[in-house]
Amino acid sequence: MDLKDIKAIIDLMKKNSLSEFELERQDFKIKLKRGNVGGSGEEVPGRVYMPSMAALPPVTNVSSVPVVSNAVPVTPASNEIEIKSPMIGTFYRAPSPEAGPYVDVGTEVNADTVVCLIEAMKVMNEIKAEVKGVITQILIDNAKPVEFGQPLFKVRPL
């Protein structure tokens, strides 16, 4: 299973309001838990918990889980475009602690401009703007966890 498959599972979990997901294939097991979705646990929202393989319980029949969707589409109040996180991970504004940030408020970006890094499973992923415009807001603090689909920046299109 590669990172693309894990991202797809996380997307399905969000769309269907699932808080846990387990999968077992031959020699591979994965268990994903979303943040505190109505429970009383101390989970951190957006963090993927990966216990040791020996600690995973057997996989139950996932098809028996009811699918419930109560998502309400969110419309931006202005013509600004949001650059959203394509994955769960840790948000970094710069390539290293000593370097300056990729972008600041007022920076003009195009589709290929790298705006930040998101660290997921010890891999640094460059996130590109994918839009032409000017950064108007930075919505996340450096080194903070982000969820899939969470807005990172607001851009005024050019």
Side-chain angles (χ1 to χ4, degrees):
M1 175 170 277
D2 60 12
L3 188 57
K4 182 179 173 184
D5 294 330
I6 294 171
K7 287 180 198 177
I9 292 169
I10 293 167
D11 186 34
L12 289 171
M13 287 176 67
K14 274 193 105 166
K15 286 181 182 176
N16 296 304
S17 301
L18 297 176
S19 60
E20 292 185 34
F21 176 82
E22 295 179 37
L23 175 68
E24 181 177 354
R25 287 186 182 168
Q26 296 170 345
D27 295 338
F28 177 81
K29 294 179 186 179
I30 187 170
K31 180 177 181 179
L32 303 175
K33 286 186 181 181
R34 288 188 49 211
N36 196 358
V37 186
S40 60
E42 292 292 314
E43 298 175 15
V44 176
R47 179 153 304 155
V48 176
Y49 296 87
M50 308 235 0
S52 70
M53 295 301 182
L56 289 174
V59 175
T60 59
N61 183 355
V62 179
S63 63
S64 67
V65 176
V67 177
V68 179
S69 179
N70 56 358
V72 177
V74 178
T75 322
S78 68
N79 66 338
E80 291 182 332
I81 298 169
E82 293 179 335
I83 299 174
K84 296 181 180 183
S85 176
M87 65 187 68
I88 290 177
T90 304
F91 172 85
Y92 293 104
R93 292 192 56 207
S96 70
E98 304 82 32
Y102 286 107
V103 295
D104 284 310
V105 172
T107 302
E108 189 171 318
V109 296
N110 61 43
D112 293 326
T113 304
V114 175
V115 293
C116 66
L117 293 175
I118 295 184
E119 177 188 7
M121 298 169 53
K122 306 292 182 197
V123 175
M124 294 294 192
N125 300 281
E126 289 185 340
I127 307 304
K128 295 185 179 181
E130 297 182 0
V131 65
K132 184 174 181 176
V134 176
I135 301 288
T136 59
Q137 277 186 289
I138 300 168
L139 304 171
I140 303 293
D141 291 329
N142 193 48
K144 296 294 181 186
V146 293
E147 291 189 36
F148 173 82
Q150 181 176 354
L152 305 173
F153 300 92
K154 286 194 177 183
V155 178
R156 185 182 70 243
L158 291 177

